[in-house]
Amino acid sequence: MRASSGRVSARRGAGALSAVLFRAMLALCLLLQLSAGVRAAAKVCNQHEELCSRAYNDVTSISTHASFAVTNQTKPTKPGTQFKGINDQLNDGVRGLHFNIMQGSSASQVSLCYPDCTVNDGGTLLDSLKVVKAWLDANKNDVVTIFLEGVGTDASPTAVVKAFTDSGADKYALMGKPKSWPTLEKMIDDGTTLVVFAEDPNIAAANSKGYFISYKDTVLKLDGPFKYGDEWTCGPWNRTSQSIMLIPHFIVQTATYGGATYNNMPYPFNLGTTNGYQYEFHAVSCRGGQSIWINFMEVDFYDQGDLKTPTLKLNALPYEGDNKKNFYPEFFDADPDAPIASASTPAAPLSTAWHIALGACLLLSLFNALRI
């Protein structure tokens, strides 16, 4: 009897151990499955996984004209081009910032002003770059572009460079114009998530590290700005080696402020139209006449109207109200419910070892169900 009792105890002990091991294996399987889900999830670049595989110059982004020139929407005390500040702009999906640089209170200071510092003084370049740097610190999967604007600016080239180094923004800067633009994913992996274009040749040449990229051979800036009632035009037609297209899409007016008359004051009216269907019309019209892709649509009051939907369309990304039937005209004899090609890059396949491990987990789960 004692021997039989011992064998029963041994079997019970082995059974208990087997149960513990089985539960441990099931827990491991769960971890493997969760890990596989993480591995299968694609990286997001500029808020969309589809954009990761696209070259920098194959993406259309919203950029804000005089990004720093903020005014109050309900009780404006001065003219401005935006109702929200730079941090909010970036959070809302803006990926291009335009900084009009001028000499500040001294030669060592660079101010951001529009149209000049008596109308809207947006503070120093250094302060705005600190905002951009902090945002990039917190958003590692986003690529941002800065346009330093003002041909013949009186800002000191040395002071402009110092603002980038003092702010720490230079650590993210792409060094020099590449022979071919990298993908957003490559830029994110390399930590070069800030691209800086300089319109003034003296500013562009000032940086010994080469992260100020000259407009001259890189940026094709189309006609603009426009007055109310003007047609949206798409010149100049003299592209040479430029690989980035910038379209100014905003309206200015002639107005008096502080006793002086300005021809390029912001026009904060009819924004639902300007930043609505006219935005899409302007972009598509210019794309048809130029041989490179639209990269930046420069706008005033970006948060008014609907810029998001046409920008998603330009990038061939899904948008609200989108459906398969949009791709099939009524006369086209095809099944709108049939699968359509996706612009997404498929996630990298799991390795054979992972497939074997997951298969074993499936068998264990089945065995457990039958055992119960």
Side-chain angles (χ1 to χ4, degrees):
M1 291 293 291
R2 288 180 180 176
S4 176
S5 176
R7 285 193 293 273
V8 171
S9 298
R11 283 197 297 271
R12 287 176 178 172
L17 179 60
S18 175
V20 170
L21 290 173
F22 189 83
R23 292 190 183 97
M25 291 181 71
L26 283 178
L28 177 61
C29 286
L30 179 60
L31 288 174
L32 282 171
Q33 290 167 344
L34 290 173
S35 177
V38 170
R39 284 167 58 89
K43 181 185 290 184
V44 173
C45 304
N46 280 19
Q47 301 182 322
H48 299 279
E49 64 182 67
E50 293 92 338
L51 299 182
C52 288
S53 62
R54 298 190 197 175
Y56 171 82
N57 64 330
D58 285 337
V59 177
T60 301
S61 300
I62 301 166
S63 65
T64 47
H65 170 229
S67 311
F68 53 86
V70 178
T71 188
N72 188 287
Q73 183 174 4
T74 55
K75 295 181 179 180
T77 58
K78 58 184 178 182
T81 59
Q82 308 299 331
F83 292 136
K84 291 184 177 182
I86 289 171
N87 195 72
D88 286 335
Q89 293 173 29
L90 294 172
N91 285 336
D92 290 343
V94 170
R95 290 297 175 266
L97 304 171
H98 295 258
F99 292 164
N100 302 66
I101 54 176
M102 304 178 183
Q103 181 177 307
S105 57
S106 67
S108 61
Q109 186 183 76
V110 182
S111 291
L112 303 179
C113 301
Y114 185 82
D116 60 27
C117 294
T118 62
V119 177
N120 193 310
D121 186 341
T124 66
L125 173 62
L126 176 61
D127 287 342
S128 288
L129 288 176
K130 286 180 179 178
V131 174
V132 175
K133 193 266 183 182
W135 193 88
L136 289 172
D137 285 343
N139 296 270
K140 300 294 188 182
N141 284 358
D142 290 270
V143 176
V144 173
T145 301
I146 290 176
F147 297 86
L148 298 176
E149 300 202 323
V151 176
T153 177
D154 60 355
S156 162
T158 302
V160 174
V161 174
K162 191 173 187 298
F164 275 84
T165 54
D166 288 355
S167 67
D170 62 326
K171 83 170 192 176
Y172 289 109
L174 181 72
M175 298 298 177
K177 176 186 175 182
K179 291 182 179 179
S180 60
W181 290 101
T183 64
L184 295 191
E185 184 171 23
K186 172 66 173 170
M187 296 172 74
I188 289 166
D189 289 345
D190 291 346
T192 54
T193 53
L194 179 64
V195 181
V196 184
F197 295 114
E199 189 173 25
D200 184 83
N202 293 323
I203 300 293
N207 191 309
S208 59
K209 294 183 179 179
Y211 56 75
F212 290 169
I213 303 173
S214 173
Y215 265 47
K216 182 180 178 183
D217 300 318
T218 311
V219 179
L220 180 64
K221 186 175 182 179
L222 301 192
D223 295 337
F226 300 87
K227 295 290 182 72
Y228 182 73
D230 288 349
E231 291 186 9
W232 304 108
T233 56
C234 301
W237 309 103
N238 58 348
R239 175 179 174 261
T240 55
S241 61
Q242 297 97 334
S243 55
I244 301 297
M245 190 196 300
L246 167 63
I247 301 180
H249 180 81
F250 55 91
I251 296 174
V252 297
Q253 62 179 327
T254 299
T256 301
Y257 183 83
T261 299
Y262 297 87
N263 293 321
N264 54 348
M265 289 291 248
Y267 186 81
F269 310 105
N270 302 317
L271 295 173
T273 301
T274 303
N275 290 353
Y277 79 89
Q278 288 190 2
Y279 172 94
E280 184 172 3
F281 174 79
H282 190 187
V284 172
S285 298
C286 292
R287 174 64 186 93
Q290 298 286 353
S291 58
I292 56 176
W293 191 245
I294 308 157
N295 301 113
F296 294 95
M297 293 290 291
E298 182 184 6
V299 300
D300 282 344
F301 311 107
Y302 79 95
D303 57 323
Q304 305 297 299
D306 178 16
L307 300 176
K308 182 179 179 180
T309 298
T311 304
L312 289 172
K313 290 180 180 180
L314 289 168
N315 284 311
L317 296 172
Y319 56 93
E320 186 175 352
D322 188 18
N323 60 72
K324 295 174 183 178
K325 293 183 180 180
N326 291 342
F327 296 90
Y328 295 91
E330 292 182 2
F331 59 80
F332 189 74
D333 186 17
D335 179 10
D337 294 322
I340 60 174
S342 171
S344 304
T345 301
L350 299 175
S351 65
T352 302
W354 279 91
H355 282 296
I356 293 173
L358 291 175
C361 288
L362 181 61
L363 290 174
L364 279 172
S365 300
L366 180 61
F367 175 76
N368 187 51
L370 293 174
R371 182 169 169 266
I372 292 172

